[in-house]
Amino acid sequence: MADPFGLRSDDPAYDEDAEPAGRLSTTARTLLSLSLLLLVGAVIGAGAAGLLVAVSVLAAVAVLVLALRLPGGPVPRARRRPGPPVDNEPYRAYRQVAEQLSWAAVSRRHYDLATRPLLTQLAAARLADRHRIDVWADPDAARAVLGEDVWPWVDPHREPSRDSQPPGVGRDTLTLIVERLEKL
């Protein structure tokens, strides 16, 4: 970037045809002379207050010149187009259930934190509606109706697993749980 005040340095980025290093360009000398004249005129005309005003004006002009010489920011990218419309927009609950079921395959911990609460709610609703059993109050009766093979997968009192490594719960196990809930 060129020197905004015309000062030259030993930086090889400057043109070879430029004035020797350490010398002021003609523009810089002219600006410096005008600044000194302004300062002297301000001191003669208004004393210390004039000097303060003149220095303030020169500082503001210097900041303005530097600000105008700064490079601009990056060009904004074109906005992305919106994706295709969702075909199953009215079926938001279906998408939420599908998402919760998809976490089961990630790990046992993901199953316990995302999928098991959904399946536990479904089991509780089915057992309450069809068998008048409260899963939280009477887990033994719920275990007897659901079966020993399905109960550990929907037990609301079981602590969540700490194992977040794959594999999670397989499709066969999820199918067994869902089929058993449908038969209730």
Side-chain angles (χ1 to χ4, degrees):
M1 183 170 91
D3 187 358
F5 294 110
L7 298 173
R8 303 289 184 214
S9 69
D10 295 329
D11 189 355
Y14 289 106
D15 298 332
E16 292 178 9
D17 298 332
E19 296 180 19
R23 293 196 61 199
L24 295 176
S25 68
T26 307
T27 306
R29 281 183 276 175
T30 305
L31 287 175
L32 187 59
S33 300
L34 288 174
S35 300
L36 287 174
L37 282 174
L38 175 67
L39 289 173
V40 170
V43 169
I44 292 173
L51 177 64
L52 181 63
V53 170
V55 169
S56 298
V57 168
L58 288 176
V61 169
V63 167
L64 181 64
V65 167
L66 288 174
L68 292 175
R69 299 199 60 128
L70 288 176
V75 177
R77 293 182 179 178
R79 292 190 177 202
R80 287 182 145 184
R81 293 183 184 174
V86 177
D87 291 338
N88 60 356
E89 184 66 33
Y91 306 105
R92 184 175 28 186
Y94 170 79
R95 286 195 319 270
Q96 290 171 345
V97 169
E99 180 182 339
Q100 286 176 310
L101 289 175
S102 71
W103 283 105
V106 176
S107 72
R108 295 287 175 130
R109 180 170 176 76
H110 286 84
Y111 171 81
D112 284 343
L113 296 177
T115 308
R116 185 166 54 118
L118 169 70
L119 294 175
T120 300
Q121 287 176 351
L122 291 173
R126 295 292 281 203
L127 287 170
D129 288 345
R130 305 275 170 98
H131 301 277
R132 305 236 184 258
I133 296 174
D134 184 359
V135 173
W136 289 273
D138 194 3
D140 293 332
R143 179 184 300 125
V145 173
L146 281 172
E148 290 293 328
D149 55 342
V150 172
W151 177 249
W153 299 109
V154 296
D155 182 3
H157 300 294
R158 192 182 78 186
E159 288 292 319
S161 173
R162 295 176 193 260
D163 181 17
S164 61
Q165 299 299 317
V169 176
R171 181 175 288 208
D172 295 339
T173 305
L174 286 176
T175 302
L176 172 70
I177 297 167
V178 170
E179 286 176 353
R180 190 70 54 84
L181 292 177
E182 287 177 347
K183 288 180 184 177
L184 289 179

Short mmCIF file of all heavy atoms in Angstrom, two decimals, residues 86-118:
data_model
loop_
_atom_site.label_atom_id
_atom_site.label_comp_id
_atom_site.label_asym_id
_atom_site.label_seq_id
_atom_site.Cartn_x
_atom_site.Cartn_y
_atom_site.Cartn_z
N VAL A 86 -40.51 -28.34 1.43
CA VAL A 86 -40.66 -29.61 2.12
C VAL A 86 -42.03 -30.19 1.78
O VAL A 86 -43.05 -29.53 1.94
CB VAL A 86 -40.53 -29.40 3.65
CG1 VAL A 86 -40.74 -30.70 4.39
CG2 VAL A 86 -39.17 -28.81 3.96
N ASP A 87 -42.01 -31.43 1.28
CA ASP A 87 -43.26 -32.05 0.86
C ASP A 87 -44.14 -32.43 2.04
O ASP A 87 -45.35 -32.46 1.92
CB ASP A 87 -42.98 -33.30 0.02
CG ASP A 87 -42.38 -32.94 -1.33
OD1 ASP A 87 -42.56 -31.79 -1.77
OD2 ASP A 87 -41.73 -33.80 -1.94
N ASN A 88 -43.52 -32.77 3.17
CA ASN A 88 -44.32 -33.24 4.30
C ASN A 88 -44.47 -32.17 5.38
O ASN A 88 -44.47 -32.48 6.56
CB ASN A 88 -43.72 -34.51 4.88
CG ASN A 88 -42.31 -34.30 5.39
OD1 ASN A 88 -41.76 -33.22 5.24
ND2 ASN A 88 -41.72 -35.33 5.97
N GLU A 89 -44.63 -30.94 4.98
CA GLU A 89 -44.80 -29.83 5.92
C GLU A 89 -45.94 -30.06 6.91
O GLU A 89 -45.78 -29.79 8.09
CB GLU A 89 -45.00 -28.52 5.16
CG GLU A 89 -45.08 -27.30 6.05
CD GLU A 89 -43.76 -27.01 6.76
OE1 GLU A 89 -42.71 -27.28 6.18
OE2 GLU A 89 -43.82 -26.53 7.90
N PRO A 90 -47.08 -30.58 6.48
CA PRO A 90 -48.16 -30.79 7.46
C PRO A 90 -47.86 -31.91 8.46
O PRO A 90 -48.55 -32.06 9.44
CB PRO A 90 -49.37 -31.17 6.61
CG PRO A 90 -49.01 -30.90 5.21
CD PRO A 90 -47.53 -30.83 5.13
N TYR A 91 -46.82 -32.70 8.20
CA TYR A 91 -46.52 -33.86 9.04
C TYR A 91 -45.31 -33.60 9.92
O TYR A 91 -44.38 -34.39 9.99
CB TYR A 91 -46.29 -35.09 8.17
CG TYR A 91 -47.43 -35.35 7.23
CD1 TYR A 91 -47.32 -35.05 5.88
CD2 TYR A 91 -48.65 -35.83 7.70
CE1 TYR A 91 -48.38 -35.26 5.02
CE2 TYR A 91 -49.71 -36.04 6.84
CZ TYR A 91 -49.56 -35.75 5.51
OH TYR A 91 -50.61 -35.95 4.67
N ARG A 92 -45.33 -32.49 10.61
CA ARG A 92 -44.21 -32.11 11.46
C ARG A 92 -43.98 -33.14 12.56
O ARG A 92 -42.85 -33.48 12.89
CB ARG A 92 -44.44 -30.73 12.06
CG ARG A 92 -43.27 -30.24 12.86
CD ARG A 92 -43.45 -28.85 13.33
NE ARG A 92 -44.86 -28.51 13.48
CZ ARG A 92 -45.29 -27.30 13.77
NH1 ARG A 92 -44.46 -26.33 13.94
NH2 ARG A 92 -46.57 -27.05 13.92
N ALA A 93 -45.03 -33.68 13.14
CA ALA A 93 -44.89 -34.69 14.20
C ALA A 93 -44.20 -35.93 13.65
O ALA A 93 -43.37 -36.54 14.34
CB ALA A 93 -46.26 -35.04 14.78
N TYR A 94 -44.53 -36.31 12.43
CA TYR A 94 -43.87 -37.46 11.82
C TYR A 94 -42.36 -37.23 11.69
O TYR A 94 -41.57 -38.10 12.01
CB TYR A 94 -44.47 -37.74 10.43
CG TYR A 94 -43.69 -38.76 9.65
CD1 TYR A 94 -43.84 -40.12 9.90
CD2 TYR A 94 -42.78 -38.37 8.67
CE1 TYR A 94 -43.11 -41.05 9.20
CE2 TYR A 94 -42.04 -39.30 7.97
CZ TYR A 94 -42.22 -40.64 8.23
OH TYR A 94 -41.49 -41.57 7.54
N ARG A 95 -41.98 -36.03 11.25
CA ARG A 95 -40.55 -35.72 11.12
C ARG A 95 -39.86 -35.75 12.48
O ARG A 95 -38.72 -36.22 12.59
CB ARG A 95 -40.35 -34.35 10.47
CG ARG A 95 -40.64 -34.34 8.99
CD ARG A 95 -40.10 -33.09 8.31
NE ARG A 95 -40.27 -31.86 9.06
CZ ARG A 95 -41.32 -31.05 8.97
NH1 ARG A 95 -42.30 -31.34 8.16
NH2 ARG A 95 -41.38 -29.94 9.67
N GLN A 96 -40.53 -35.27 13.51
CA GLN A 96 -39.93 -35.28 14.85
C GLN A 96 -39.74 -36.70 15.35
O GLN A 96 -38.70 -37.04 15.91
CB GLN A 96 -40.80 -34.48 15.82
CG GLN A 96 -40.77 -32.99 15.55
CD GLN A 96 -41.80 -32.23 16.38
OE1 GLN A 96 -42.71 -32.81 16.95
NE2 GLN A 96 -41.65 -30.91 16.42
N VAL A 97 -40.73 -37.57 15.13
CA VAL A 97 -40.60 -38.97 15.55
C VAL A 97 -39.49 -39.65 14.76
O VAL A 97 -38.66 -40.38 15.33
CB VAL A 97 -41.95 -39.71 15.38
CG1 VAL A 97 -41.77 -41.21 15.54
CG2 VAL A 97 -42.97 -39.18 16.37
N ALA A 98 -39.45 -39.41 13.46
CA ALA A 98 -38.40 -40.02 12.64
C ALA A 98 -37.02 -39.57 13.08
O ALA A 98 -36.07 -40.36 13.13
CB ALA A 98 -38.63 -39.67 11.16
N GLU A 99 -36.90 -38.31 13.45
CA GLU A 99 -35.61 -37.80 13.92
C GLU A 99 -35.21 -38.45 15.24
O GLU A 99 -34.07 -38.86 15.43
CB GLU A 99 -35.64 -36.29 14.08
CG GLU A 99 -34.33 -35.71 14.56
CD GLU A 99 -34.38 -34.22 14.76
OE1 GLU A 99 -35.26 -33.56 14.19
OE2 GLU A 99 -33.52 -33.72 15.51
N GLN A 100 -36.15 -38.56 16.16
CA GLN A 100 -35.84 -39.19 17.45
C GLN A 100 -35.47 -40.65 17.28
O GLN A 100 -34.57 -41.15 17.95
CB GLN A 100 -37.02 -39.04 18.41
CG GLN A 100 -37.17 -37.63 18.94
CD GLN A 100 -38.40 -37.47 19.80
OE1 GLN A 100 -39.49 -37.86 19.40
NE2 GLN A 100 -38.23 -36.89 20.97
N LEU A 101 -36.15 -41.35 16.38
CA LEU A 101 -35.81 -42.76 16.14
C LEU A 101 -34.44 -42.90 15.47
O LEU A 101 -33.73 -43.87 15.71
CB LEU A 101 -36.89 -43.42 15.28
CG LEU A 101 -38.22 -43.67 15.96
CD1 LEU A 101 -39.23 -44.21 14.96
CD2 LEU A 101 -38.06 -44.62 17.14
N SER A 102 -34.06 -41.93 14.67
CA SER A 102 -32.77 -42.02 13.97
C SER A 102 -31.59 -41.96 14.92
O SER A 102 -30.52 -42.48 14.62
CB SER A 102 -32.66 -40.92 12.92
OG SER A 102 -32.50 -39.66 13.54
N TRP A 103 -31.76 -41.34 16.08
CA TRP A 103 -30.66 -41.25 17.04
C TRP A 103 -30.33 -42.59 17.68
O TRP A 103 -29.25 -42.77 18.25
CB TRP A 103 -30.98 -40.23 18.14
CG TRP A 103 -30.82 -38.83 17.68
CD1 TRP A 103 -31.82 -37.96 17.37
CD2 TRP A 103 -29.60 -38.14 17.46
NE1 TRP A 103 -31.29 -36.76 16.96
CE2 TRP A 103 -29.92 -36.85 17.01
CE3 TRP A 103 -28.27 -38.48 17.58
CZ2 TRP A 103 -28.96 -35.90 16.70
CZ3 TRP A 103 -27.31 -37.53 17.27
CH2 TRP A 103 -27.66 -36.27 16.83
N ALA A 104 -31.23 -43.54 17.62
CA ALA A 104 -31.02 -44.83 18.27
C ALA A 104 -29.80 -45.54 17.72
O ALA A 104 -29.08 -46.22 18.45
CB ALA A 104 -32.25 -45.71 18.10
N ALA A 105 -29.53 -45.42 16.43
CA ALA A 105 -28.42 -46.14 15.81
C ALA A 105 -27.06 -45.53 16.13
O ALA A 105 -26.03 -46.17 15.90
CB ALA A 105 -28.62 -46.17 14.30
N VAL A 106 -27.01 -44.32 16.67
CA VAL A 106 -25.74 -43.64 16.91
C VAL A 106 -24.98 -44.28 18.07
O VAL A 106 -23.82 -44.67 17.92
CB VAL A 106 -25.95 -42.13 17.17
CG1 VAL A 106 -24.65 -41.45 17.52
CG2 VAL A 106 -26.60 -41.49 15.96
N SER A 107 -25.62 -44.37 19.22
CA SER A 107 -24.97 -44.98 20.39
C SER A 107 -26.03 -45.27 21.44
O SER A 107 -27.17 -44.81 21.34
CB SER A 107 -23.90 -44.06 20.97
OG SER A 107 -24.50 -42.96 21.63
N ARG A 108 -25.65 -46.03 22.47
CA ARG A 108 -26.58 -46.32 23.56
C ARG A 108 -26.98 -45.03 24.29
O ARG A 108 -28.11 -44.87 24.70
CB ARG A 108 -25.94 -47.29 24.57
CG ARG A 108 -25.65 -48.65 24.02
CD ARG A 108 -26.92 -49.45 23.84
NE ARG A 108 -26.63 -50.71 23.21
CZ ARG A 108 -27.05 -51.86 23.66
NH1 ARG A 108 -27.79 -51.91 24.74
NH2 ARG A 108 -26.76 -52.96 23.01
N ARG A 109 -26.03 -44.13 24.46
CA ARG A 109 -26.34 -42.87 25.14
C ARG A 109 -27.35 -42.06 24.33
O ARG A 109 -28.29 -41.49 24.88
CB ARG A 109 -25.06 -42.07 25.36
CG ARG A 109 -25.29 -40.75 26.06
CD ARG A 109 -23.97 -40.12 26.48
NE ARG A 109 -24.13 -38.81 27.06
CZ ARG A 109 -24.57 -38.57 28.28
NH1 ARG A 109 -24.90 -39.57 29.06
NH2 ARG A 109 -24.67 -37.34 28.73
N HIS A 110 -27.15 -41.99 23.01
CA HIS A 110 -28.09 -41.26 22.16
C HIS A 110 -29.48 -41.92 22.21
O HIS A 110 -30.50 -41.22 22.21
CB HIS A 110 -27.58 -41.21 20.73
CG HIS A 110 -26.45 -40.25 20.54
ND1 HIS A 110 -25.15 -40.59 20.81
CD2 HIS A 110 -26.43 -38.96 20.14
CE1 HIS A 110 -24.37 -39.56 20.57
NE2 HIS A 110 -25.12 -38.54 20.17
N TYR A 111 -29.51 -43.24 22.24
CA TYR A 111 -30.80 -43.93 22.36
C TYR A 111 -31.48 -43.52 23.67
O TYR A 111 -32.66 -43.17 23.68
CB TYR A 111 -30.61 -45.45 22.32
CG TYR A 111 -31.88 -46.18 22.66
CD1 TYR A 111 -32.87 -46.37 21.70
CD2 TYR A 111 -32.13 -46.64 23.94
CE1 TYR A 111 -34.06 -47.00 22.02
CE2 TYR A 111 -33.31 -47.27 24.27
CZ TYR A 111 -34.27 -47.46 23.31
OH TYR A 111 -35.45 -48.07 23.63
N ASP A 112 -30.72 -43.57 24.77
CA ASP A 112 -31.30 -43.28 26.08
C ASP A 112 -31.77 -41.83 26.22
O ASP A 112 -32.74 -41.56 26.93
CB ASP A 112 -30.29 -43.59 27.19
CG ASP A 112 -30.17 -45.09 27.44
OD1 ASP A 112 -31.06 -45.85 27.01
OD2 ASP A 112 -29.17 -45.50 28.06
N LEU A 113 -31.12 -40.90 25.55
CA LEU A 113 -31.46 -39.49 25.71
C LEU A 113 -32.44 -38.97 24.66
O LEU A 113 -33.14 -37.99 24.91
CB LEU A 113 -30.19 -38.64 25.70
CG LEU A 113 -29.24 -38.90 26.86
CD1 LEU A 113 -27.98 -38.06 26.72
CD2 LEU A 113 -29.91 -38.64 28.20
N ALA A 114 -32.51 -39.60 23.49
CA ALA A 114 -33.39 -39.09 22.43
C ALA A 114 -34.52 -40.05 22.09
O ALA A 114 -35.67 -39.62 21.96
CB ALA A 114 -32.57 -38.79 21.17
N THR A 115 -34.22 -41.33 21.96
CA THR A 115 -35.23 -42.27 21.47
C THR A 115 -36.03 -42.90 22.61
O THR A 115 -37.25 -43.04 22.51
CB THR A 115 -34.55 -43.38 20.64
OG1 THR A 115 -33.73 -42.77 19.65
CG2 THR A 115 -35.58 -44.27 19.98
N ARG A 116 -35.37 -43.31 23.68
CA ARG A 116 -36.07 -43.99 24.78
C ARG A 116 -37.19 -43.15 25.38
O ARG A 116 -38.28 -43.68 25.65
CB ARG A 116 -35.10 -44.43 25.87
CG ARG A 116 -35.80 -45.25 26.95
CD ARG A 116 -34.85 -45.97 27.85
NE ARG A 116 -33.85 -45.12 28.44
CZ ARG A 116 -33.71 -44.92 29.74
NH1 ARG A 116 -34.51 -45.51 30.60
NH2 ARG A 116 -32.76 -44.14 30.19
N PRO A 117 -37.02 -41.82 25.59
CA PRO A 117 -38.16 -41.04 26.12
C PRO A 117 -39.40 -41.11 25.23
O PRO A 117 -40.53 -41.21 25.74
CB PRO A 117 -37.61 -39.62 26.21
CG PRO A 117 -36.13 -39.78 26.32
CD PRO A 117 -35.80 -41.00 25.52
N LEU A 118 -39.21 -41.12 23.92
CA LEU A 118 -40.35 -41.22 23.01
C LEU A 118 -41.03 -42.58 23.16
O LEU A 118 -42.25 -42.67 23.30
CB LEU A 118 -39.88 -41.02 21.56
CG LEU A 118 -40.90 -41.36 20.48
CD1 LEU A 118 -42.02 -40.33 20.49
CD2 LEU A 118 -40.24 -41.45 19.13
#
